[in-house]
Amino acid sequence: MSEQALQDLPAPSAVSDSETAPKRMAMICWSSDLDRVWPTLILATTAAASGMEVDVFFTFWGLRVLQKNDKRLTGRNWMQVGESMVDRGGTRHLRLGKVHFAGLGTWMIKRLAKKNKVAFPDELLQTALDLGVRLHPCQMTMDLYGLKREDFVEGLNPTLGAASFIDMAAKADIVLFI
Amino acid sequence: MSEQALQDLPAPSAVSDSETAPKRMAMICWSSDLDRVWPTLILATTAAASGMEVDVFFTFWGLRVLQKNDKRLTGRNWMQVGESMVDRGGTRHLRLGKVHFAGLGTWMIKRLAKKNKVAFPDELLQTALDLGVRLHPCQMTMDLYGLKREDFVEGLNPTLGAASFIDMAAKADIVLFI
Amino acid sequence: MSEQALQDLPAPSAVSDSETAPKRMAMICWSSDLDRVWPTLILATTAAASGMEVDVFFTFWGLRVLQKNDKRLTGRNWMQVGESMVDRGGTRHLRLGKVHFAGLGTWMIKRLAKKNKVAFPDELLQTALDLGVRLHPCQMTMDLYGLKREDFVEGLNPTLGAASFIDMAAKADIVLFI
């Protein structure tokens, strides 16, 4: 291949689809801790705003992030309902994962964020949807928790399994487990 | 390069080896928490089942996942033996990382998983081996814990250091730290 | 494109820059837990020692890793100062994230590491700088904590935002969130 041909060669992500394909990011949102959901949504919205295609797969604890904020109890049997009591879902009810910070920590970090005009998870989730970020609930976790589509916010993509997420991730330029 | 040449160009992962090379996944299993080991093994087995080559590097707390389930105490000095007492190894003794769930949580999630026919970590580890997933214990962590090869399950790959894992990861299409 | 041309094609990472570009690694250091900072710095220094270009973005709890060890309190208001009291920064003050190990655990793991000649985070951070690893503090987190450049160790790269880190990550061969 000539020197000229090499310079004309598109970047790897473009090669895989077409010459003009945008870069792609695929993330696993595994946690419902405030301090993990926050960077996940900041990265998702920032990448989408700069023209990247973004997929986020919500699984395990992370599935609760997609729950409607006014939905208190979920599940089809006593174990699932019990789990939903101690693990409240929705972007407005996320708490810090760090133990010595529980309570005061969550309140304080949110106040500091507000003072510094950092958008909150509920706004960021809406921004993500507005920017075309694809949010995929994990089917297996839905079954485990007994969650139904009507427990979730509007605008989500169809549910996925691990195999479909792996397909997406193999095509992405950035893959993160958060 | 002509339009035709561009279409003939193989995908990036194939370019790096040969035209027919399968996609690759490389994961760091850093934790022995049930809620982290579970997705690691689900992703590993799902990827392998769909034809990908998968490497998992077990390091730090994650090394305990490979320990035989009937091995109670390990180590060569009192500190190492003490560590093994509070950090029991083996796929059947993993517990959830979330604090407010300790105890009841682990038992309840396992019951929900059983009801939903989600395979348990011990079955998934065996499936991973059957599907050709390469499981690498971290040499440095073995030395730190005083663990010996006979403390581990059968079928593992040779021990690795960080440099060898980085080589694998640089060639992989999906790299995850879980 | 001919058979010959295909063989001459450089690996994907090289394609994206030039024929001789080194492989790249981009990591997010999100945590200040000893058991997460340790692998981050081991991976960073090992990759750099083998000729890779390495960028590490210190954000959220992880920003505290870059704080000077003799800097006790930081921040511009009572909330920020209070946060710095319970979340002491600096590579010598990191503690294990695992709860049942707090206290004794951190001391014991450090003793085992010393016995096995595993370098400590403060040495590894210096080694990283010596090997040309680029360490980027997150601007948003600095504002949140009220941290100033003089609170940090010497030798860091300019502060970054999420968009700049995403640019780096999209060009990297290995991307990790730790």
Side-chain angles (χ1 to χ4, degrees):
Chain A
M1 190 159 52
S2 72
E3 195 74 31
Q4 183 55 39
L6 190 67
Q7 282 167 15
D8 292 341
L9 199 69
S13 72
V15 171
S16 63
D17 286 325
S18 85
E19 231 172 312
T20 54
K23 294 264 184 182
R24 296 179 64 162
M25 176 187 257
M27 286 190 285
I28 297 179
C29 176
W30 161 87
S31 166
S32 66
D33 290 341
L34 175 61
D35 41 347
R36 287 184 173 269
V37 175
W38 223 326
T40 308
L41 294 175
I42 289 172
L43 289 168
T45 52
T46 308
S50 73
M52 289 180 75
E53 282 190 32
V54 184
D55 289 283
V56 191
F57 182 51
F58 292 81
T59 187
F60 277 73
W61 313 112
L63 186 60
R64 291 277 180 209
V65 175
L66 299 178
Q67 197 172 317
K68 282 178 187 148
N69 278 304
D70 56 4
K71 191 89 198 174
R72 189 60 196 88
L73 297 179
T74 60
R76 299 166 199 269
N77 60 45
W78 70 268
M79 280 190 296
Q80 291 168 340
V81 175
E83 205 280 339
S84 78
M85 284 178 70
V86 292
D87 185 29
R88 177 152 196 190
T91 42
R92 284 198 201 122
H93 307 112
L94 311 174
R95 285 172 300 182
L96 293 181
K98 274 219 176 187
V99 174
H100 65 276
F101 264 37
L104 185 67
T106 300
W107 172 84
M108 206 153 82
I109 291 286
K110 281 191 164 182
R111 268 203 61 172
L112 287 172
K114 198 166 191 175
K115 245 182 125 171
N116 283 280
K117 300 191 178 60
V118 178
F120 276 34
D122 52 344
E123 302 165 62
L124 288 168
L125 195 74
Q126 191 52 55
T127 307
L129 288 167
D130 295 346
L131 289 168
V133 172
R134 293 182 291 253
L135 308 176
H136 312 270
C138 168
Q139 182 63 55
M140 191 198 79
T141 312
M142 278 183 70
D143 296 343
L144 211 65
Y145 286 163
L147 281 163
K148 297 174 293 250
R149 282 305 290 238
E150 59 261 39
D151 296 328
F152 295 134
V153 296
E154 304 292 316
L156 305 182
N157 271 59
T159 57
L160 281 191
S164 308
F165 176 75
I166 289 169
D167 272 354
M168 285 174 187
K171 288 178 204 139
D173 302 274
I174 303 178
V175 186
L176 297 170
F177 183 100
I178 305 183
Chain B
M1 190 157 53
S2 72
E3 197 72 33
Q4 184 53 40
L6 190 67
Q7 282 168 15
D8 293 339
L9 199 68
S13 71
V15 170
S16 63
D17 287 323
S18 84
E19 234 173 309
T20 55
K23 293 266 184 182
R24 296 180 63 162
M25 177 187 256
M27 287 190 283
I28 297 179
C29 176
W30 162 86
S31 167
S32 65
D33 289 341
L34 174 62
D35 41 348
R36 289 186 172 269
V37 176
W38 223 325
T40 308
L41 294 175
I42 289 172
L43 289 168
T45 51
T46 308
S50 72
M52 289 179 76
E53 281 189 33
V54 184
D55 289 282
V56 191
F57 182 51
F58 292 81
T59 186
F60 277 73
W61 313 111
L63 186 60
R64 290 278 180 209
V65 174
L66 299 178
Q67 196 173 316
K68 283 178 186 148
N69 278 304
D70 55 4
K71 191 89 198 174
R72 188 63 197 87
L73 297 180
T74 60
R76 299 166 200 269
N77 61 44
W78 70 268
M79 280 191 296
Q80 291 168 339
V81 175
E83 206 280 339
S84 78
M85 283 178 71
V86 292
D87 185 29
R88 176 153 193 187
T91 42
R92 283 196 204 126
H93 307 113
L94 312 175
R95 284 172 301 181
L96 293 179
K98 274 219 175 187
V99 175
H100 66 276
F101 264 38
L104 185 66
T106 300
W107 171 83
M108 206 153 79
I109 292 286
K110 280 192 163 180
R111 266 203 62 172
L112 286 172
K114 197 167 193 173
K115 243 183 125 171
N116 283 281
K117 300 190 178 62
V118 179
F120 276 32
D122 53 343
E123 303 165 61
L124 287 168
L125 195 74
Q126 190 52 54
T127 307
L129 288 167
D130 295 346
L131 289 169
V133 173
R134 293 182 291 254
L135 309 176
H136 311 270
C138 168
Q139 182 64 54
M140 191 199 78
T141 312
M142 279 183 69
D143 296 342
L144 211 64
Y145 286 163
L147 281 163
K148 297 173 293 249
R149 281 305 290 238
E150 59 261 38
D151 296 328
F152 295 135
V153 296
E154 304 292 317
L156 304 183
N157 271 59
T159 57
L160 281 192
S164 308
F165 175 75
I166 289 169
D167 272 353
M168 286 175 186
K171 288 178 205 140
D173 301 274
I174 303 177
V175 186
L176 297 170
F177 183 100
I178 305 184
Chain C
M1 190 158 57
S2 72
E3 196 72 32
Q4 184 54 40
L6 190 67
Q7 282 168 14
D8 292 340
L9 199 68
S13 71
V15 171
S16 64
D17 286 325
S18 84
E19 233 173 310
T20 54
K23 294 267 184 182
R24 295 180 64 162
M25 176 187 257
M27 287 191 284
I28 297 180
C29 177
W30 162 87
S31 167
S32 65
D33 290 341
L34 174 62
D35 40 349
R36 287 185 173 270
V37 176
W38 224 325
T40 308
L41 294 176
I42 289 172
L43 288 168
T45 51
T46 308
S50 71
M52 289 180 76
E53 281 190 32
V54 184
D55 289 282
V56 191
F57 182 50
F58 292 81
T59 187
F60 277 73
W61 313 112
L63 186 59
R64 290 279 180 208
V65 174
L66 299 179
Q67 196 172 316
K68 282 179 187 147
N69 278 305
D70 55 5
K71 192 88 198 175
R72 187 62 197 86
L73 297 179
T74 60
R76 299 167 200 268
N77 60 45
W78 70 268
M79 279 191 296
Q80 291 168 339
V81 175
E83 207 279 339
S84 77
M85 282 178 71
V86 292
D87 185 30
R88 176 153 196 189
T91 41
R92 284 197 202 126
H93 307 112
L94 312 173
R95 283 171 303 182
L96 292 180
K98 275 220 176 184
V99 175
H100 65 275
F101 264 38
L104 185 66
T106 300
W107 172 84
M108 206 153 81
I109 291 286
K110 280 190 162 180
R111 266 203 62 173
L112 286 173
K114 197 167 192 174
K115 244 183 124 169
N116 283 281
K117 301 191 178 59
V118 178
F120 276 33
D122 53 343
E123 302 165 61
L124 287 168
L125 194 74
Q126 190 51 55
T127 306
L129 287 168
D130 295 346
L131 289 168
V133 173
R134 292 181 292 253
L135 309 175
H136 311 270
C138 168
Q139 182 64 55
M140 191 199 78
T141 311
M142 278 182 70
D143 295 343
L144 211 64
Y145 286 163
L147 281 162
K148 297 174 293 251
R149 282 304 291 237
E150 59 261 39
D151 296 329
F152 295 135
V153 296
E154 304 291 318
L156 306 182
N157 271 59
T159 57
L160 280 192
S164 309
F165 175 75
I166 289 169
D167 272 355
M168 286 174 184
K171 288 179 205 138
D173 301 274
I174 302 178
V175 186
L176 297 170
F177 183 100
I178 305 183

